[in-house]
Amino acid sequence: SRRGPQRTGRGSGHGGAQTAIGLRKQGFHGSIGLLDRSRALPYERPPLSKEYLSGEKTFERILIRPEKFWRDRDVHLLGGSNVSSLDPLVKTISCGNGQEYAYEQLVWSAGGDAKRLICDGSDLRGVHTVRSKEDVDALIYDMKAGTERCTIIGGGYIGLEAAAVFRKLGHEVVLVEAFNRVLSRVTGPEVSRFIQNEHVSREVKIHLESGVRCIEGDGGLLTGVVLETGEVIQTDIVLVGIGIEPCIDALAKAGAETANGVVVDEYCQTTLPGVYAIGDCAAHINPFADGQRIRLESVQNANDMASVVASVICGNFEPYHATPWFWSDQYDLKIQTVGLSAGYDDSVTRGDPSNRSFSIVYLKNGKVVALDCVNSMKDYVQGRRLVETGLVAAREDLADTSRQLKELL
């Protein structure tokens, strides 16, 4: 129907859902539609590789809101709608199912698709990714089919979280990482080394600096992963966690400026009139990254950008200026990060990693730019202000655990 919602969100994950919630909270009375290729209710993504995969949480427990919430607020959930194109001149979007919707303001919160391996055998049954409920449901189904050996390709948070779940469920786990340490893109060597040792102590076999040549199969089913060295890892399941590709094709074809994502300004507006982009796919200038244009793949970023867009649509122009934060749960470890450590030139260890509770403070030109906190909630909470103020502090003061970080402000 061309008489579609006045405000249309593309994507019903955290960003799209929070935009709709924010609009209603701020008194927006127009129609709101949430388009998503999935037919499921809007749900949280982080538990997919943790509690949902392990069976600790049912799908109902990871819903952002129950169905009644959306119905009571007159938010239309338009599942099964995969946007294929948009016309920014007449302000319509077309979906693969033949539906067409008109909009006044369009919020693009499509996130990204999991990167696929580019090698022979990557399409064999038993090769999985973790990006959606459907992905994890398929993985769980295969895990229940008597599989014992799991191979994970990629040593980022998704791969490591899944490794922890697989071990908890009693599976044999091999993890293959192309770089010389796990979490190499998001943390420093000390945290990487600590996390790797935690997994190895639980009998996860880790291959570093290892590329994948191909995946072997028999009768359409995978049997092993062949490394570039020629070594063959016999396996029943392969989980690929090597990052995402931002879903921006429709915006790019419509003429939106792109650069490792879709380019947005401080109000999350794209270069297309009436079109905003938020979350994993939005390339924005971030003050915590020295003013560089980056993408942040986190729930925090999606939610904070959603708040900005809801306010702008309702006439309150407050620019995006949110402190980045991230977290990961692995075994009994809670790993929390505040700030962005990329480009740091010094670091201070606070506490003793052997006690399994410590923090790493990252510095750049003497200023605190980020903290990685392992089972150290107090440092994480207090460290936020250090990052936000760009505190300059002596290394010995940062390392002194007899003093709380807030005392340094």
Side-chain angles (χ1 to χ4, degrees):
S1 167
R2 289 182 63 88
R3 296 183 60 192
Q6 293 176 351
R7 303 292 186 267
T8 302
R10 198 294 192 182
S12 62
H14 292 273
Q18 290 302 324
T19 302
I21 293 170
L23 285 169
R24 288 299 188 229
K25 278 187 175 180
Q26 296 189 48
F28 176 72
H29 298 296
S31 58
I32 300 174
L34 282 177
L35 277 72
D36 198 281
R37 57 188 167 196
S38 171
R39 295 186 180 277
L41 293 171
Y43 60 92
E44 300 176 13
R45 266 50 175 186
L48 290 177
S49 58
K50 298 186 280 286
E51 299 97 331
Y52 185 69
L53 176 59
S54 68
E56 295 175 43
K57 286 187 177 180
T58 62
F59 180 63
E60 287 69 27
R61 290 183 61 196
I62 68 171
L63 292 176
I64 293 175
R65 295 290 191 278
E67 184 175 12
K68 184 176 184 300
F69 175 91
W70 306 109
R71 186 169 59 248
D72 289 349
R73 287 155 183 78
D74 196 25
V75 174
H76 304 273
L77 302 180
L78 306 171
S81 302
N82 190 27
V83 177
S84 55
S85 64
L86 66 130
D87 188 329
L89 296 180
V90 295
K91 293 192 172 183
T92 59
I93 54 178
S94 300
C95 300
N97 59 7
Q99 287 286 90
E100 188 177 76
Y101 299 93
Y103 66 86
E104 291 178 11
Q105 310 281 352
L106 173 66
V107 183
W108 191 268
S109 180
D113 289 326
K115 288 183 179 178
R116 304 279 176 169
L117 282 177
I118 303 176
C119 67
D120 291 342
S122 61
D123 57 349
L124 287 171
R125 179 178 172 180
V127 179
H128 296 272
T129 58
V130 173
R131 192 64 185 166
S132 67
K133 173 184 181 294
E134 292 79 8
D135 290 339
V136 181
D137 286 342
L139 175 58
I140 292 172
Y141 179 85
D142 277 359
M143 288 170 60
K144 291 179 178 178
T147 57
E148 295 293 336
R149 301 165 300 179
C150 302
T151 299
I152 298 169
I153 300 173
Y157 279 127
I158 291 293
L160 292 168
E161 288 169 357
V165 171
F166 289 153
R167 286 302 297 137
K168 182 177 181 179
L169 297 176
H171 297 283
E172 298 177 15
V173 179
V174 177
L175 186 143
V176 179
E177 167 57 43
F179 292 99
N180 61 0
R181 59 186 177 91
V182 299
L183 298 176
S184 61
R185 294 187 301 170
V186 295
T187 193
E190 189 164 8
V191 174
S192 291
R193 185 165 52 249
F194 174 82
I195 297 299
Q196 177 176 328
N197 290 339
E198 286 288 323
H199 283 272
V200 170
S201 71
R202 290 168 172 81
E203 300 182 343
V204 176
K205 298 178 181 178
I206 297 180
H207 294 257
L208 298 176
E209 298 183 89
S210 297
V212 175
R213 180 183 297 173
C214 67
I215 297 177
E216 294 183 326
D218 183 15
L221 294 176
L222 73 90
T223 59
V225 175
V226 183
L227 303 182
E228 291 288 0
T229 60
E231 180 181 353
V232 179
I233 301 170
Q234 301 296 328
T235 192
D236 303 305
I237 283 179
V238 169
L239 175 60
V240 180
I242 55 175
I244 69 167
E245 294 285 357
C247 291
I248 58 171
D249 285 354
L251 293 181
K253 291 176 182 177
E257 183 181 353
T258 62
N260 183 34
V262 59
V263 171
V264 298
D265 65 13
E266 67 270 33
Y267 303 109
C268 302
Q269 294 176 324
T270 72
T271 54
L272 299 177
V275 179
Y276 304 83
I278 61 177
D280 293 358
C281 64
H284 63 285
I285 292 176
N286 193 294
F288 295 92
D290 290 333
Q292 296 181 63
R293 188 174 295 280
I294 64 171
R295 288 189 303 107
L296 284 180
E297 298 172 13
S298 72
V299 172
Q300 164 267 320
N301 180 54
N303 287 346
D304 286 331
M305 283 187 157
S307 296
V308 169
V309 169
S311 295
V312 169
I313 289 175
C314 291
N316 182 18
F317 284 76
E318 289 291 334
Y320 177 83
H321 188 91
T323 306
W325 56 265
F326 316 84
W327 84 95
S328 176
D329 296 324
Q330 300 170 38
Y331 307 112
D332 59 343
L333 301 173
K334 179 169 286 294
I335 305 144
Q336 296 169 290
T337 296
V338 60
L340 301 174
S341 62
Y344 76 94
D345 53 30
D346 194 11
S347 65
V348 178
T349 301
R350 181 177 168 84
D352 186 354
S354 66
N355 294 329
R356 306 180 76 250
S357 176
F358 68 100
S359 300
I360 306 295
V361 184
Y362 298 96
L363 307 171
K364 188 172 184 179
N365 297 325
K367 295 181 179 180
V368 176
V369 294
L371 288 88
D372 282 331
C373 306
V374 179
N375 289 343
S376 186
M377 175 69 78
K378 187 175 291 185
D379 279 359
Y380 169 72
V381 172
Q382 296 183 12
R384 182 186 183 101
R385 286 293 296 149
L386 273 62
V387 172
E388 291 173 341
T389 58
L391 180 76
V392 176
R395 299 181 86 260
E396 57 269 24
D397 290 337
L398 292 168
D400 185 1
T401 55
S402 69
R403 301 180 64 185
Q404 297 188 49
L405 288 176
K406 65 181 180 182
E407 297 175 28
L408 304 181
L409 291 169

